[in-house]
């Protein structure tokens, strides 16, 4: 009897699943498919073709995909190659307390044409992918003007504190903070516009607001001091860098594909205004699919932007730069190199660089489907985020482990806790 098996069937999204098939004919060719629906009923799907061995078994840890969405030995390929049925849709978990249900199907090979309907699946299986581990507590944050969600790991604590910042989409995104809490970090997912009673649009970045968030986190009885970390991407990384310079309580900052200067709107801290860099919008490009690429509008700026570089050498904490070398939104490889050179010139060695060839802008937790392009609020053309599928997936898996190591090293040195 044909059996489709996945272990574990219920796990965190950053944990691998072992998928294998038994009971096939020797050397039989089959199609394995995965699909899920997000909270907005958008469908994502993937598929790959495999050939059984002489014992009639397919093991994704061992056997190469012959074709489909990827080729080669990729045990989690069905998960990270999920793509939207509706183009320009990014898979983002909205409610972390409910898992994604990923349906796996085993089929005979078939041509995907309407008048050639596929036969019924040979086997099906549903896998649960969670963003929050058992025992993690989610606490809504409405403290003064702060808006967000605090995630606390199970146990007595104390836990290293992390401020989690996303970019220009606005709103409150919790999926990374909930995963960090699932690995032992007290994580505050912080909204800063486009959520609740916060401003609908971002016309300035009020660093005092983020300082309040850092102080709120450090005052929590389950947060280990004396400093906290930041995990940030894109616009969030711009803010994260600015905070690391201004606030002594920031001791470890993860900057994922961010600039080393301010973009679009000024930062304000205790009445001081820090102006954004000049932009040469004429160097925006539109690719053959009609997606906007902004990665050259600062690096080709003829007036020069070095005068706008943030004084990173003033930061007292440590930096982890994570760069996708195929980022088409920011030239983050160049910006990270400039920031590191600035640190070196000032005798600083408080940095680590992870630079990934083939990775795009949206480097997310492991096994997340790569979003190559999507729509953004207030931006008219869809944005091309860049990246190549297989190297991007590898970058996500490696970077996530390194982020946790970095935070543990600088926020809980010598700790015996199971982070």
């Amino acid at each position: 009897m044909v059996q489709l098996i996945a272990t574990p069937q219920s796990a965190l999204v950053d944990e691998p699943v072992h998928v294998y098939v038994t009971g096939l004919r020797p050397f039989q060719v089959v199609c394995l498919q995965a699909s899920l629906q997000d909270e907005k009923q958008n469908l994502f799907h993937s598929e790959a073709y495999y050939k059984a061995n002489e014992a009639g078994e397919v093991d994704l840890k061992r056997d190469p995909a012959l074709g489909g969405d990827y080729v080669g030995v990729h045990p989690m390929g069905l998960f990270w190659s999920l793509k939207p049925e509706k183009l320009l849709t990014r898979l983002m978990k909205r409610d972390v307390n409910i898992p994604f249900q990923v349906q796996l199907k085993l089929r005979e090979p078939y041509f995907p044409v309407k008048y050639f309907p596929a036969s019924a699946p040979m086997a099906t299986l549903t896998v649960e992918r969670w963003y929050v581990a058992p025992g993690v507590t989610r606490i809504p944050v409405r403290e003064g003007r702060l808006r967000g969600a605090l995630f606390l790991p199970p146990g007595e604590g104390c836990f290293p504190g992390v401020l989690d910042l996303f970019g220009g989409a606005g709103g409150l995104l919790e999926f990374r903070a909930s995963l960090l809490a699932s690995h032992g970090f007290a994580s505050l997912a912080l909204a800063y516009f486009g959520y609740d009673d916060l401003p609908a649009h971002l016309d300035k970045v009020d660093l005092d607001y983020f300082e309040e968030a850092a102080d709120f986190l450090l005052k929590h009885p389950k947060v280990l001091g004396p400093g906290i970390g930041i995990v940030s991407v894109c616009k969030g990384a711009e803010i994260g860098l600015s905070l690391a310079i201004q606030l002594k309580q920031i001791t470890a900052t993860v900057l994922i594909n961010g600039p080393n200067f301010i973009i679009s709107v000024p930062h304000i801290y205790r009445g001081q205004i820090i102006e954004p860099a000049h932009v040469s919008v004429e160097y925006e490009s539109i690719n053959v699919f009609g997606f906007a690429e902004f990665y050259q509008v600062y690096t080709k700026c003829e007036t020069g932007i070095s005068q706008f570089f943030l004084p990173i050498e003033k930061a007292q904490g440590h930096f982890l730069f994570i760069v996708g070398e195929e980022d088409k939104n920011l030239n983050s490889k160049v910006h990270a190199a400039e920031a590191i050179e600035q640190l070196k010139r000032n005798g600083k060695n408080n940095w680590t660089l992870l630079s990934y060839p083939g990775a795009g802008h949206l480097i997310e937790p492991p096994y997340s489907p790569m979003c190559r392009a999507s729509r953004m609020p207030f931006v008219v053309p869809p944005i091309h985020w860049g990246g190549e599928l297989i190297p991007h997936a590898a970058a996500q898996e490696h970077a996530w482990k390194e982020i946790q190591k970095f935070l543990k090293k600088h926020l809980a040195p010598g700790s015996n806790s199971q982070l």
Side-chain angles (χ1 to χ4, degrees), residues 242-255:
S242 205
L243 292 172
I245 292 166
Q246 301 289 354
L247 308 182
K248 65 181 184 303
Q249 56 267 55
I250 306 300
T251 53
T253 306
V254 179
L255 304 171

Side-chain angles (χ1 to χ4, degrees), residues 8-251:
Q9 268 190 251
S10 182
L12 288 173
V13 294
D14 60 357
E15 295 178 26
V17 177
H18 183 197
V19 178
Y20 57 103
V21 182
T22 61
L24 298 169
R25 299 189 306 275
F27 310 114
Q28 182 178 354
V29 175
V30 292
C31 178
L32 274 165
Q33 298 176 324
S35 63
L36 68 80
Q37 274 192 332
D38 68 11
E39 287 107 325
K40 295 184 176 181
Q41 307 307 307
N42 294 307
L43 180 67
F44 294 76
H45 54 84
S46 64
E47 66 179 28
Y49 293 88
Y50 288 89
K51 181 185 282 189
N53 64 7
E54 65 277 5
E57 297 169 344
V58 170
D59 187 335
L60 269 62
K61 280 187 176 180
R62 176 195 65 207
D63 299 325
L66 307 176
D69 287 312
Y70 56 92
V71 173
V73 179
H74 299 289
M76 289 295 288
L78 287 171
F79 294 84
W80 49 248
S81 69
L82 286 163
K83 55 196 178 301
E85 189 175 69
K86 182 181 177 183
L87 294 177
L88 306 176
T89 303
R90 179 181 173 190
L91 183 65
M92 289 194 296
K93 196 73 182 79
R94 302 291 178 179
D95 184 350
V96 298
N97 291 309
I98 301 171
F100 276 139
Q101 305 277 346
V102 181
Q103 187 174 56
L104 302 179
K105 291 181 181 179
L106 179 71
R107 290 186 181 277
E108 296 276 4
Y110 69 99
F111 281 105
V113 292
K114 288 184 178 179
Y115 55 83
F116 241 11
S119 58
M122 301 160 66
T124 64
L125 185 66
T126 299
V127 175
E128 287 186 344
R129 305 295 281 165
W130 289 88
Y131 284 82
V132 60
V136 170
T137 305
R138 179 189 183 275
I139 303 169
V141 173
R142 290 182 61 89
E143 184 85 9
R145 57 180 180 154
L146 296 181
R147 299 293 180 265
L150 175 64
F151 291 89
L152 297 174
E156 294 301 317
C158 293
F159 307 104
V162 176
L163 193 60
D164 188 55
L165 301 176
F166 277 90
L172 178 61
L173 298 178
E174 304 177 10
F175 62 84
R176 194 169 56 200
S178 63
L179 274 179
L180 285 168
S182 299
H183 292 287
F185 299 92
S187 306
L188 174 58
L190 186 67
Y192 54 97
F193 78 101
Y195 176 76
D196 198 50
D197 57 353
L198 294 172
H201 312 290
L202 195 65
D203 56 5
K204 65 178 183 293
V205 172
D206 182 359
L207 295 182
D208 298 89
Y209 174 80
F210 297 89
E211 184 175 32
E212 289 173 27
D215 291 340
F216 166 81
L217 199 50
L218 276 171
K219 286 175 185 173
H220 195 282
K222 285 198 172 185
V223 173
L224 176 71
I228 63 167
I230 293 175
V231 177
S232 55
V233 63
C234 192
K235 185 72 177 181
E238 170 199 316
I239 296 168
L241 175 55
S242 205
L243 292 172
I245 292 166
Q246 301 289 354
L247 308 182
K248 65 181 184 303
Q249 56 267 55
I250 306 300
T251 53

